[in-house]
Amino acid sequence: MRFKGTPVSQGITIGHAHPLDVEDALVPSYEIEESAVDAEVSKFNTALNRTIDELSAVKDAAAENAESDEMTAIFDVHIAMLKDPGIKRNTISKIITERKNAESAFSASIKSVLDILENSPDHYFRERVVDIRDLAQKVQSHMMGLEQAASASPFRDPILVASQLSPSQTGPFQDLAKGFVTEHGARTSHTAILARSLRIPAVVGIPGLMHSISPGDEIIVDGLEGEVIVKPSEEEKAHYIEKMKAFREYHEKLVQEAKKVSRTVDGHHIRLKVNIDFEEELKNCAEFGAEGVGLYRSEFLYLQCAPNLPSEEEHAAYYTRIAEAVYPHRATIRTLDLGGEKYFQEILEPKAVNPVLGLRAIRFSLRHWEMFQTQLRGILRASYKKNVSVMFPMVSMLEELQMARAALSEAMDSLRRDSVPFDPDIQVGIMVEIPVCALNAEAFAPYCDFFSIGSNDLIQYLMAIDRNNESMADYYDPHHPAFLRLLGSVAEAAKSRKIPVSICGEVASDPNLIPLFIGLGIEEFSMTPEALLEVKAKVRSLSFKECHKLAAQAVKAWTGTEVKNLLMGRPIKEKKFLGLKWSKGKSDG
Amino acid sequence: MASSTEITLKNKLGLHARAAAKLVNLAGKYHSHITISTPQLCADAKSILGVLTLAAGKDTLLRIEADGPDHGEAIDSIVELIEGKFGEE
């Protein structure tokens, strides 16, 4: 069986399916012996209690850090649902009287509750369906021993198959998984980013896949073409083994090239850095010739420490290891950017209908001053060798930057009082990723030591599309001339204050777009380590002058298609500009 | 070994999820069998799904019945919770 999805991480792999979601179709159902009844009941009780304990731990951690019980109350509701005597009684009675195994007995009990709620005229009850499904999945995975399997998959060369993967699911599999396949997701979702940093192939966006795969099935993942083959024939296997070899050889060649300087043919230095989520990824970076870390996503440290928050010591130790590993290059630490699709949405804003537009990133940090102080002190402590930069995510208004800078000063004062060394001239920058900030870049430049353009979010907010919504993938178009003109104006604002500007989003990994960006005045790129090789090879083939000519053409376009055509050598037709008073278009355009 | 009482819900949101969680947690501490009913429906006070399906809003008249060794205390503490508007306002 062949499936076609979106390739999001290069490479080819052959392995065995390890499904992670517990959907109805995958819940095992069988009749049990009378002698097994007690064991089945106790399996159910253990799984249920374990899930309750886990939720209680998360709740306690939330209660310690949150200011209101609003945030923790949702856990009380969930815990009460798990303790509901109706579901419990029903499940146990199905095990005893109908001789059903615990998983299917529980599944049937949950289903009868869901049926009632789903048909309720009250929208409040219909919304609870999602909560209950999620809770039920947690219990099921405990019963099916998936938690134990997390540290050692029962399958050789496991390939994780899921409807969607969250960081907490992929975490335990990092050293183990040979590939990822998901039903949902896009190039910029967690699965994709993680797969690329681990250098394992991944394909996303194959709806219904879970129903065609059984645990342990042999599968091939082609992260070049976006194909997934379930139970391949011998010929298919042979074909892919060949393809796998060819890809490896090509990759090896690029690694050899990586040691060379990142410079255009006319001698212009283009700085290439890496985005990382885990310190383990650093090992690839020096080998690939990176000039420092352009983006460390600190939320992954929070994730590793969950359900507790990282202490100041943990922050300082982790950031110091990164800074030391890249020394004398710089390490840019981005402060907490929780929100959107990332974990712990429940704690942040349980009722947010649209979390990507809600309380996240710097907005969250500024409202949790003590938590923010802990992180800032940790970052400052790692800066004593003067090679650390701090970056604030999702800044929309100048007032936020000023508040964040005040928080940083406060952290500095407290370290001074404790006589802890740090870099008092630590570089401070912002992620330019919200349109209002990009349009107002001139106002931010005097207060920043650098800009970093977060293209993933900038495109998402500019286009009003959810970047994880695969049916909207066509709209996610970095070729769009309005996006390019916006980048140009941010670069111009940075240049006027002589501060560097980089792109740290996914588009920086696309070699075809690099000449456009260089031409728009962006001379620094930070990307997933895997992309570094191809981007460097591209930079070394470019003429700086030609890039500028190309970009000057591109910004005259009206559609993304025109820009795509331009990149393939078709010139853009001249347009009549009206010279509108409020338009940012240049008068010579 | 049983007692009952009636009380009107006074908090703004009625028996919404968080209030229901508090009620169920409290009821769970007693050995008695406790039910809570609106004029239309009756639910096990230890079952959050049951309590939620009562969909009891502000000013609903609730009848609480407890049957068991600690029925008196159970009723008293539940009444106290409801009268205290679930500690919300």
Side-chain angles (χ1 to χ4, degrees), chain A residues 44-354:
Chain A
F44 166 66
N45 281 329
T46 310
L48 192 66
N49 290 336
R50 236 191 240 175
T51 314
I52 292 170
D53 289 347
E54 276 172 8
L55 274 186
S56 308
V58 176
K59 181 197 134 185
D60 291 346
E64 244 172 67
N65 304 303
E67 281 131 32
S68 70
D69 21 286
E70 287 279 320
M71 287 182 176
T72 57
I74 192 85
F75 291 107
D76 278 324
V77 175
H78 287 172
I79 291 167
M81 284 179 175
L82 287 170
K83 288 184 174 167
D84 196 278
I87 294 176
K88 203 171 165 175
R89 211 182 302 128
N90 220 326
T91 305
I92 294 175
S93 117
K94 279 186 201 315
I95 296 173
I96 296 172
T97 59
E98 297 174 32
R99 295 280 162 77
K100 284 187 169 196
N101 62 315
E103 292 90 339
S104 66
F106 178 64
S107 179
S109 313
I110 288 288
K111 203 178 167 300
S112 57
V113 174
L114 290 180
D115 283 346
I116 297 169
L117 295 182
E118 265 167 354
N119 295 320
S120 160
D122 188 333
H123 79 102
Y124 177 82
F125 289 106
R126 291 197 302 271
E127 280 166 19
R128 298 281 78 71
V129 166
V130 183
D131 296 1
I132 295 175
R133 254 206 199 116
D134 190 49
L135 291 168
Q137 274 210 1
K138 287 184 175 135
V139 178
Q140 286 288 15
S141 52
H142 275 303
M143 279 196 279
M144 292 168 68
L146 287 179
E147 297 295 314
Q148 291 98 307
S151 53
S153 173
F155 310 113
R156 202 159 35 86
D157 297 333
I159 290 170
L160 298 194
V161 185
S163 100
Q164 203 161 8
L165 287 168
S166 68
S168 59
Q169 285 175 305
T170 50
F173 285 97
Q174 268 188 48
D175 301 325
L176 208 70
K178 293 283 181 279
F180 295 152
V181 185
T182 60
E183 293 188 327
H184 304 289
R187 244 196 97 73
T188 44
S189 48
H190 165 77
T191 314
I193 293 172
L194 183 67
R196 285 196 293 278
S197 68
L198 294 172
R199 293 158 81 179
I200 57 175
V203 175
V204 303
I206 308 181
L209 177 74
M210 296 295 287
H211 293 280
S212 313
I213 284 188
S214 310
D217 277 355
E218 187 166 43
I219 54 176
I220 297 175
V221 182
D222 180 350
L224 302 172
E225 308 287 337
E227 293 207 320
V228 173
I229 296 131
V230 180
K231 295 193 223 161
S233 67
E234 282 308 311
E235 294 110 83
E236 279 174 321
K237 244 176 110 173
H239 168 73
Y240 277 98
I241 288 170
E242 275 307 304
K243 204 171 168 187
M244 196 152 73
K245 267 191 208 147
F247 176 73
R248 276 196 194 140
E249 275 165 29
Y250 164 75
H251 190 76
E252 275 311 306
K253 217 163 103 193
L254 285 179
V255 173
Q256 291 311 312
E257 287 283 304
K259 308 211 163 54
K260 297 180 181 158
V261 189
S262 163
R263 203 181 274 154
T264 59
V265 290
D266 40 0
H268 213 92
H269 183 194
I270 301 296
R271 201 163 279 146
L272 303 184
K273 299 182 175 181
V274 287
N275 299 342
I276 61 164
D277 300 339
F278 305 98
E279 58 177 325
E280 292 77 8
E281 295 170 66
L282 283 168
K283 60 180 189 287
N284 293 336
C285 301
E287 185 193 340
F288 291 176
E291 296 178 68
V293 169
L295 169 63
Y296 168 65
R297 300 185 181 93
S298 67
E299 48 276 16
F300 286 87
L301 176 60
Y302 286 79
L303 173 70
Q304 282 164 299
C305 295
N308 298 314
L309 284 174
S311 66
E312 182 182 325
E313 288 303 320
E314 282 167 318
H315 280 294
Y318 205 93
Y319 306 148
T320 302
R321 286 200 296 275
I322 296 174
E324 280 179 356
V326 300
Y327 192 84
H329 294 304
R330 298 193 76 83
T332 304
I333 312 291
R334 182 175 74 185
T335 62
L336 180 62
D337 185 6
L338 279 178
E341 82 281 22
K342 298 196 184 106
Y343 87 123
F344 267 21
Q345 190 56 46
E346 298 175 281
I347 295 185
L348 296 186
E349 220 184 352
K351 290 202 198 79
V353 176
N354 207 339

